[in-house]
Amino acid sequence: MTAIRIAPSLLSADFARLGEEVRAVIAAGADLIHFDVMDNHYVPNLTVGPMVCQAIRPHCQTADGRPVPIDVHLMVQPVDALIPMFAEAGASLITFHPEASLHVDRTLQLIRSLGMKAGLALNPATPLHLIDHVMDRLDLVLLMSVNPGFGGQAFIESSLPKIELLRKRIDASGRDIWLEVDGGVNARNIRRVVAAGADTVVAGSAVFTGGDYRHSIAALRDEAAGGKA
């Protein structure tokens, strides 16, 4: 297994100084910047849009100038109209929920046609078989370990066997598809999440709470290393 990717979620950052927060977590070792988009329709919350994504894009690079991907998670319905806007704003990956698209295959094609990686996000009660006929379109599957809509929720323990089943599905496909887990992941449970098969982990409160981002990300990596096969 490759090194675990850590994607700090800006939902837990200080929005009054977002550019500074992005630079700080990248300096602390973040692999991706997770960008949660909520519409107060598909989920009961309202967050940020393409203009904010565009504003943070210049900050998403390492000290030596290497670009750090923006991992956009669309919790919106419908999704297609926003995808070109986020492509123009500098998104690297776009993940959406199959329940929010009338034509999942077409939406995945749209994302890829604009030069971005494409992913599907599966809620705790969403069955895994929904990915079976679009595996050739997927670069990422995001498995939600909380119900979408709010940061700071507790990890749903029944997500662990679902991660294991999803890992088997991905491995059986023979494709290079990331398995990302989002929701309530912290230093106390990341080892089990990685042992179940995750290779990419979203962490909001676990990174931004406490102020020492480098220590928080290092603690996540240290614990994750104990779960790697």
Side-chain angles (χ1 to χ4, degrees):
M1 183 181 289
T2 58
I4 299 303
R5 289 174 285 265
I6 303 292
S9 171
L10 294 186
L11 197 62
S12 297
D14 181 350
F15 272 61
R17 50 189 191 93
L18 206 50
E20 182 182 339
E21 291 277 72
V22 169
R23 294 194 305 272
V25 292
I26 290 173
D31 300 295
L32 309 163
I33 296 297
H34 193 74
F35 191 90
D36 288 306
V37 183
M38 304 183 189
D39 65 353
N40 193 33
H41 176 67
Y42 179 70
V43 292
N45 201 354
L46 185 65
T47 57
V48 290
M51 290 179 66
V52 177
C53 182
Q54 185 175 26
I56 69 165
R57 177 72 269 179
H59 302 278
C60 291
Q61 58 182 2
T62 60
D64 60 2
R66 178 179 57 84
V68 174
I70 301 177
D71 174 23
V72 174
H73 177 194
L74 293 180
M75 289 167 272
V76 303
Q77 186 178 28
V79 299
D80 287 9
L82 280 177
I83 289 168
M85 297 181 192
F86 274 101
E88 187 174 351
S92 310
L93 308 91
I94 288 188
T95 302
F96 66 97
H97 292 255
E99 299 92 342
S101 171
L102 289 175
H103 303 285
V104 171
D105 183 81
R106 181 177 294 159
T107 302
L108 290 169
Q109 288 187 60
L110 174 61
I111 295 169
R112 287 183 143 205
S113 74
L114 293 169
M116 298 173 291
K117 292 186 176 182
L120 278 181
L122 306 180
N123 291 331
T126 301
L128 295 179
H129 68 76
L130 288 185
I131 71 171
D132 287 350
H133 299 290
V134 292
M135 295 288 275
D136 59 330
R137 309 282 193 200
L138 292 175
D139 299 291
L140 168 75
V141 179
L142 171 58
L143 196 146
M144 296 298 297
S145 45
V146 298
N147 288 294
F150 298 94
Q153 298 183 69
F155 182 84
I156 296 174
E157 290 292 328
S158 60
S159 302
L160 290 169
K162 192 174 183 182
I163 297 168
E164 293 177 353
L165 291 172
L166 179 55
R167 169 49 61 195
K168 290 178 182 178
R169 257 182 163 84
I170 290 173
D171 289 349
S173 77
R175 297 183 179 277
D176 182 18
I177 299 172
W178 294 3
L179 198 173
E180 185 174 41
V181 175
D182 181 5
V185 180
N186 54 44
R188 296 184 298 278
N189 58 29
I190 192 171
R191 182 175 299 201
R192 291 181 294 143
V193 169
V194 171
D199 53 46
T200 308
V201 174
V202 177
S205 302
V207 169
F208 287 100
T209 300
D212 189 342
Y213 302 161
R214 187 176 298 276
H215 177 268
S216 297
I217 291 175
L220 289 169
R221 289 199 194 281
D222 288 347
E223 286 298 321
K228 288 171 62 177

